[in-house]
Amino acid sequence: RVVCAFFRFSRRVRNHWKTTVAEFFSMDKKVFIHDTSVVDAGCVIGEGTSIWHFSHLCGRAVIGRMCSFGQNTFVADEVVIGDRVKVQNNVSLYAGVHLEDEVFLGPSCVFTNITNPRSQVSRRHLYEKIHVRRGATIGANATIVCGVTIGRYAFVGAGAVVREDVSDYALILGVPGKQHGWMSRHGHRLVFDNTGRAICPESKLKYTLKNDIVTCNDIPEEESLPEDLAKGTAVYDQFK
């Protein structure tokens, strides 16, 4: 009887909390928050964002529009996230992380915010920053050590450990992470000819490599892909 009463009470509390959250977010901004997740008061969440099972978003986090947070994600105070960001399962974002628009975070990737942590030494006032720029991909189980910037449309492979800044469009693999070429906005290796030009095999967008800097000739880096290019046409291996 005691157990049943406890669960009935828990259900009432959960339903009340869910209704309160729905009134604050969903009815006004069309935000989806699963009823197992916790969103602290004050958290800013943009329209169209979805927060799935067992996640926790702290009150001073700022999250943009049309984002997706998978199961068991955590967003700390002072984290800033842009629009259309995808965060997969089991990712924790600690104070000091800034994700620009259209970043992809693979399952269980890790971000640190103190270079030299010690249990006996408090450094909560000394959190170091990580800046992930527009369109970058962080692969599953990759680790990003604090104090670095990941460039626009960079691609960090699964399991890599990044300890240094990463250039726009760079492909980073291994432990420690090293650059192994360049990737297009569609996630394909770019093979540059002797004039510094390359074409993405999927999108046919053209790229230029000059002075170790890659740029897209057809779409400015600060613009989203047009709708006709925003859907994949075939799996990765078909373009090798």
Side-chain angles (χ1 to χ4, degrees):
R1 292 178 181 177
V2 173
V3 172
C4 291
F6 172 78
F7 280 112
R8 284 197 297 270
F9 173 76
S10 298
R11 189 178 299 112
R12 286 197 299 271
V13 171
R14 184 181 65 182
N15 289 340
H16 172 74
W17 175 86
K18 183 179 179 182
T19 300
T20 302
V21 171
E23 288 173 351
F24 187 74
F25 292 113
S26 303
M27 293 182 184
D28 183 39
K29 298 184 178 180
K30 300 179 182 177
V31 171
F32 171 78
I33 301 171
H34 193 270
D35 62 4
T36 60
S37 290
V38 175
V39 178
D40 293 342
C43 181
V44 176
I45 304 176
E47 180 179 352
T49 289
S50 297
I51 300 153
W52 292 96
H53 308 63
F54 310 114
S55 296
H56 180 194
L57 280 61
C58 292
R60 296 199 305 277
V62 177
I63 296 163
R65 299 170 58 255
M66 305 300 293
C67 296
S68 176
F69 292 82
Q71 180 173 301
N72 193 37
T73 53
F74 171 73
V75 182
D77 289 328
E78 300 174 21
V79 170
V80 178
I81 297 174
D83 297 338
R84 298 174 299 281
V85 171
K86 295 182 180 179
V87 181
Q88 303 292 61
N89 295 355
N90 307 313
V91 175
S92 293
L93 301 172
Y94 300 114
V97 173
H98 177 196
L99 309 178
E100 293 187 4
D101 295 347
E102 298 174 337
V103 166
F104 178 91
L105 303 183
S108 302
C109 64
V110 175
F111 295 80
T112 72
N113 62 2
I114 297 176
T115 299
N116 56 336
R118 290 292 197 189
S119 177
Q120 299 179 66
V121 182
S122 175
R123 292 191 172 91
R124 298 185 66 177
H125 58 298
L126 297 172
Y127 290 147
E128 301 168 64
K129 299 184 182 304
I130 292 175
H131 187 182
V132 184
R133 300 202 62 197
R134 185 187 186 105
T137 289
I138 310 298
N141 293 298
T143 297
I144 312 301
V145 178
C146 53
V148 303
T149 296
I150 309 296
R152 295 174 297 186
Y153 309 105
F155 198 105
V156 177
V161 176
V162 176
R163 303 186 302 180
E164 300 174 342
D165 289 350
V166 175
S167 301
D168 293 355
Y169 296 103
L171 170 63
I172 305 297
L173 303 173
V175 181
K178 299 293 183 183
Q179 185 170 347
H180 289 259
W182 308 94
M183 295 287 269
S184 73
R185 289 181 65 164
H186 280 69
H188 297 283
R189 284 184 183 251
L190 291 170
V191 180
F192 289 93
D193 62 22
N194 55 11
T195 68
R197 288 177 172 30
I199 299 175
C200 171
E202 183 172 15
S203 68
K204 307 306 179 186
L205 293 176
K206 299 178 179 63
Y207 294 83
T208 297
L209 172 62
K210 185 176 182 180
N211 297 326
D212 217 28
I213 297 172
V214 172
T215 54
C216 182
N217 301 349
D218 302 312
I219 302 174
E221 274 68 29
E222 294 305 318
E223 291 186 9
S224 296
L225 290 170
E227 187 174 348
D228 62 318
L229 290 178
K231 185 176 181 179
T233 58
V235 298
Y236 179 77
D237 284 349
Q238 293 188 27
F239 295 100
K240 287 184 177 179

